[in-house]
Amino acid sequence: MIIGTAGHIDHGKSTLVRALTGVDTDRLKEEKARGISIELGYAYLPAPDGQVLGFIDVPGHEKLVHTMVAGASGIDFGLLVIAADDGVMPQTREHLAILELVGVSRGAVALTKIDRVDTARVDEVTQQVRSLLAGTALADAPVFPVNALAGADAGDVVALREHLFAGAAALPARREDGFFRLAVDRVFTLAGHGTVVTGTVFSGRLDVAVAGRGAPHGDSRQEGIEDGLKGQQRSSQQDDPRENREGHHETVALVLAPAGTPVRVRSLHAQNRAATVGVAGQRCALNLAGIDTRAIERGDWIADDRAMAPSTRIDVDLRLLADADTTVKAWTPLHIHWGAARRLAHVVPLSADSIAPGTRGRVQLVFDKPVCASAGDRFIARNAQATRTIGGGVVLDPQAPDRKRRSSARLAWLDAIEAMLTDGGLEPILAEAPLGVRTADLQRLTGRALSRLPADALRIGDIVILRRHRDALRDAALAALRKFHGDLPDEPGADISRLRRMAWPTLDDGLLHALVDDLLRDGELQRNGPWLHLPGHSAALSEEDEALAQRLLPDLRAGAYDPPWVRDLARKHNQPEERVRVLLRKLMRRGEVSQVVKDLFYHRERVRELVQLLARLDVEAGAASTPATAAAKSPSRGIEAAAFRDATGLGRKRAIQILEFFDRVGYTRRVRDTHIPRADAQWEI
């Protein structure tokens, strides 16, 4: 269990932690000289049942509330410290509000400095505390009058300590099946070991054996890390019982977020003990390999690379305190705190034009630089001057869009995320995703790998989609083709790119091809070369037409890239032009030929050769403008008419006609003076 202190400056928080744990959390020279906490302090207390309680001691000065918030995020138990002589003070109220906003529902009150007052004053302040806590999540928290200066064995200190032990024993274990995320609140260099970060594990489980080459217990590198964590209690090395679970764990790739820099963990400490496993709810120190301390700062995350993605826009549910004294409107600047981070954001209201004190609403937080968060993360909002806590809330979508953010579909999507966070199911999310959701996006939203899907959900390639949405997409494709055949009966069909533009303009590539494959397999679509068409959309030839076709096709094949026109074929075979024209259109519907321009048809073998030529020219164009080492991965540069003309030996006019044909059928797209093959284009003949 992680315990966070809270309370006004000079109310005895650090003294109380020292009495409970024996550890002085004021480790800085300035802290000792001034007698106040300036930075977060840490201490650990072994419990009789083998657990280790972690303490985060926070500063109480009003100018250091931002540091307090960094410590409050991720704690399990709030220890509100109130001096009996002062009673309830401004930062007492603010710290209590922060504990509520970050979701702390377990806690106790320590009434300190009782040696300075009489019993009547203790009773009076106890009543103040009861009035303060009424209506809050800590309304039933016990109050412990203590004299921390009396020492660790004083009866009142012992009673508080035993209460903390009981609270830790009763605390439900956090789930460990999520992606690992540690909020970095300290980073330093340890001589002989390198970079060390410390923080609270918000989710998941980290096993050094699968996240890096861990050092065994008792290894000198592990000992050195523990020595370097000044101000943290040394304790005997014991294995956390959760470290000895059997079972296979997949290799975990960790990154520093939001930078995305890969990191490797040499070794770790969990709750101030050398360990091989760190889990959600623990304070951990990670010895990182291959990264300098200057690349890391408080507020960063060490996380599974599947857990988070950087974004400058986050959609949240924001609640303003009743005494906020601020109405949040469009582009109101706020200081946002979550994890160990503090960033300035501007607000874009989503559900209303403004949010008044004592109310809540959905807003988008817009940051100047990319940040990382996860759905369900709690945050604190402070005013533009960073002098007052005005509210807080919950992250809904950490990958919010910048367009259509107030549309009904978008607000319904946020409703679905909120429902998912409430009951943990995927059904609300998938119900609002008619085009499905990428597996990676679902994993980031849920914070864990997808193990089971709802009964009516399908995984198609990299997309998860409800069966009814898949069926609706199939119906849309068939309806689009029926209309296409009705409007253009002589066309052989639509290639996959055109079908996408007609039926599914924004569909994921993987789902696009999977849907087409399903329709082909079920016989509801047929393929004729590159063309997709409905069954029955083909041309039946009479014996006479079949005989004429067998004479025309060799002429077209022999014409290579400059085949004869309809008039030339009609003259050669002594046939009316219209009969030849109609027959070639029928052959086009069968996929035997393609019409480049009116009355100019190419044999399918020659079209296939031209497709291969386009692909080669595109590769050559990319290689010519990219270093040799990267040529294979270079983006398409496109084909210019002059290069295509030279490669085919045709004139410029014919070369342009052919390139425009490939644009028209969707195999390429024109970008200025070049023609670029589409990534999803297929030409199978």
Side-chain angles (χ1 to χ4, degrees):
M1 184 170 78
I2 299 178
I3 301 162
T5 65
H8 197 75
I9 184 173
D10 200 30
H11 275 203
K13 295 184 293 297
S14 299
T15 302
L16 178 61
V17 172
R18 184 168 62 246
L20 290 168
T21 68
V23 176
D24 184 2
T25 57
D26 286 342
R27 53 192 170 82
L28 301 179
K29 182 178 179 180
E30 184 180 359
E31 290 178 319
K32 295 184 179 299
R34 297 175 59 184
I36 64 171
S37 296
I38 298 173
E39 263 294 346
L40 298 175
Y42 307 95
Y44 297 89
L45 177 64
D49 63 358
Q51 291 192 64
V52 176
L53 278 61
F55 287 77
I56 302 178
D57 186 26
V58 306
H61 196 285
E62 64 176 337
K63 293 184 178 179
L64 299 174
V65 172
H66 63 277
T67 304
M68 182 272 172
V69 175
S73 296
I75 68 173
D76 303 302
F77 189 99
L79 184 56
L80 184 62
V81 180
I82 302 175
D85 52 354
D86 281 348
V88 174
M89 297 291 282
Q91 266 56 65
T92 309
R93 299 180 185 277
E94 185 169 16
H95 284 203
L96 175 61
I98 290 170
L99 291 178
E100 273 213 282
L101 289 168
V102 297
V104 176
S105 58
R106 295 176 174 85
V109 179
L111 202 58
T112 59
K113 302 186 180 183
I114 60 173
D115 54 309
R116 299 185 180 184
V117 300
D118 56 22
T119 303
R121 176 60 180 171
V122 171
D123 293 340
E124 179 187 353
V125 176
T126 300
Q127 289 305 312
Q128 289 182 11
V129 171
R130 285 295 167 214
S131 297
L132 174 68
L133 298 182
T136 73
L138 299 180
D140 297 327
V143 178
F144 290 87
V146 295
N147 177 10
L149 294 176
D153 297 328
D156 48 13
V157 174
V158 171
L160 176 56
R161 188 184 298 118
E162 291 300 321
H163 179 75
L164 297 177
F165 288 155
L171 184 70
R174 294 199 195 184
R175 293 182 60 170
E176 300 176 15
D177 58 346
F179 295 138
F180 180 81
R181 294 192 300 139
L182 177 141
V184 176
D185 54 35
R186 289 182 65 200
V187 55
F188 55 90
T189 300
L190 193 60
H193 300 82
T195 299
V196 176
V197 298
T198 71
T200 299
V201 180
F202 271 55
S203 62
R205 168 189 176 96
L206 177 65
D207 188 335
V208 175
V210 296
R213 296 179 180 178
H217 289 195
D219 182 88
S220 60
R221 187 180 299 278
Q222 290 272 17
E223 296 278 357
I225 295 174
E226 191 169 276
D227 290 337
L229 298 177
K230 295 180 174 62
Q232 299 186 7
Q233 180 187 8
R234 291 294 300 270
S235 61
S236 59
Q237 294 181 2
Q238 294 182 350
D239 289 339
D240 187 311
R242 289 172 288 193
E243 296 173 18
N244 298 318
R245 296 178 180 175
E246 296 181 353
H248 171 73
H249 296 286
E250 63 179 357
T251 300
V252 176
L254 297 178
V255 295
L256 170 69
T261 308
V263 297
R264 183 170 62 85
V265 178
R266 287 194 181 113
S267 55
L268 69 82
H269 275 215
Q271 298 293 84
N272 204 38
R273 294 177 174 181
T276 58
V277 174
V279 299
Q282 291 183 329
R283 291 281 309 166
C284 286
L286 309 181
N287 182 201
L288 303 180
I291 191 166
D292 190 85
T293 56
R294 290 171 295 185
I296 309 172
E297 63 181 7
R298 172 181 286 177
D300 285 344
W301 298 82
I302 302 297
D304 188 307
D305 66 354
R306 298 167 294 178
M308 312 174 92
S311 173
T312 57
R313 292 175 175 83
I314 297 178
D315 285 350
V316 304
D317 184 76
L318 173 65
R319 175 169 74 90
L320 293 187
L321 299 174
D323 61 352
D325 196 28
T326 298
T327 297
V328 172
K329 302 177 181 179
W331 220 241
T332 297
L334 295 178
H335 289 270
I336 305 298
H337 303 251
W338 76 104
R342 177 179 68 159
R343 301 287 186 271
L344 181 66
H346 288 88
V347 174
V348 178
L350 301 177
S351 54
D353 292 334
S354 63
I355 302 175
T359 65
R360 66 192 311 154
R362 289 178 180 159
V363 304
Q364 183 171 108
L365 301 176
V366 182
F367 298 87
D368 291 336
K369 296 180 181 178
V371 299
C372 281
S374 292
D377 281 353
R378 298 258 182 176
F379 68 90
I380 298 296
R382 307 196 79 216
N383 62 6
Q385 296 75 32
T387 58
R388 184 173 185 175
T389 299
I390 65 168
V394 179
V395 172
L396 296 178
D397 191 346
Q399 299 286 300
D402 62 342
R403 300 180 62 190
K404 299 183 178 179
R405 49 194 169 192
R406 299 185 66 172
S407 67
S408 58
R410 180 64 193 168
L411 295 179
W413 175 254
L414 296 181
D415 288 339
I417 294 177
E418 186 172 31
M420 179 204 69
L421 293 174
T422 301
D423 62 24
L426 293 176
E427 290 86 349
I429 291 288
L430 296 176
E432 294 298 329
L435 300 182
V437 186
R438 290 180 180 272
T439 300
D441 294 336
L442 266 184
Q443 291 185 152
R444 276 195 292 269
L445 278 175
T446 61
R448 56 181 51 87
L450 298 183
S451 55
R452 289 183 298 177
L453 296 177
D456 58 342
L458 304 169
R459 195 194 297 259
I460 302 178
D462 189 39
I463 298 295
V464 178
I465 188 171
L466 292 181
R467 193 179 303 275
R468 65 176 184 270
H469 291 330
R470 188 279 311 267
D471 293 345
L473 291 174
R474 289 165 58 107
D475 292 344
L478 298 177
L481 275 178
R482 279 194 292 272
K483 184 177 187 305
F484 180 81
H485 292 332
D487 294 343
L488 301 167
D490 290 334
E491 292 288 335
D495 76 315
I496 195 168
S497 296
R498 178 176 282 189
L499 180 59
R500 165 189 251 165
R501 293 193 294 277
M502 293 189 303
W504 317 305
T506 60
L507 196 63
D508 172 85
D509 285 347
L511 184 56
L512 167 74
H513 291 286
L515 284 171
V516 169
D517 290 344
D518 282 349
L519 290 167
L520 290 170
R521 184 174 58 252
D522 294 345
E524 296 189 62
L525 275 190
Q526 291 182 354
R527 186 189 294 277
N528 188 351
W531 316 116
L532 299 169
H533 61 85
L534 296 176
H537 183 76
S538 61
L541 301 183
S542 65
E543 290 186 8
E544 295 80 3
D545 283 348
E546 191 68 56
L548 179 57
Q550 295 307 313
R551 298 198 302 272
L552 297 177
L553 289 173
D555 290 341
L556 294 177
R557 186 191 306 113
Y561 302 154
D562 187 20
W565 293 78
V566 165
R567 61 178 178 273
D568 300 323
L569 291 169
R571 187 182 309 112
K572 177 179 179 180
H573 296 283
N574 196 27
Q575 297 289 330
E577 283 188 26
E578 186 60 22
R579 185 187 178 198
V580 172
R581 183 178 296 111
V582 170
L583 176 57
L584 288 175
R585 286 177 179 169
K586 291 181 179 180
L587 293 177
M588 183 173 68
R589 293 174 66 178
R590 287 173 37 163
E592 300 281 351
V593 298
S594 295
Q595 184 172 224
V596 171
V597 294
K598 180 177 170 37
D599 281 359
L600 182 63
F601 294 82
Y602 276 61
H603 194 279
R604 66 178 180 181
E605 292 181 4
R606 300 310 184 194
V607 175
R608 180 172 55 192
E609 292 172 7
L610 290 171
V611 168
Q612 295 168 347
L613 177 61
L614 285 171
R616 177 172 63 82
L617 291 175
D618 185 53
V619 170
E620 291 174 355
S625 58
T626 309
T629 55
K633 299 181 180 180
S634 63
S636 176
R637 304 293 296 185
I639 302 104
E640 294 183 351
F644 187 70
R645 175 201 61 197
D646 294 343
T648 57
L650 298 170
R652 178 177 176 80
K653 181 178 180 180
R654 180 62 59 82
I656 290 175
Q657 288 174 335
I658 295 173
L659 289 172
E660 289 177 345
F661 159 75
F662 284 115
D663 291 342
R664 188 171 65 252
V665 299
Y667 184 75
T668 58
R669 60 187 177 91
R670 182 170 179 174
V671 179
R672 296 184 178 87
D673 293 329
T674 64
H675 302 262
I676 300 176
R678 293 180 181 271
D680 60 355
Q682 293 180 340
W683 200 285
E684 300 175 9
I685 298 181

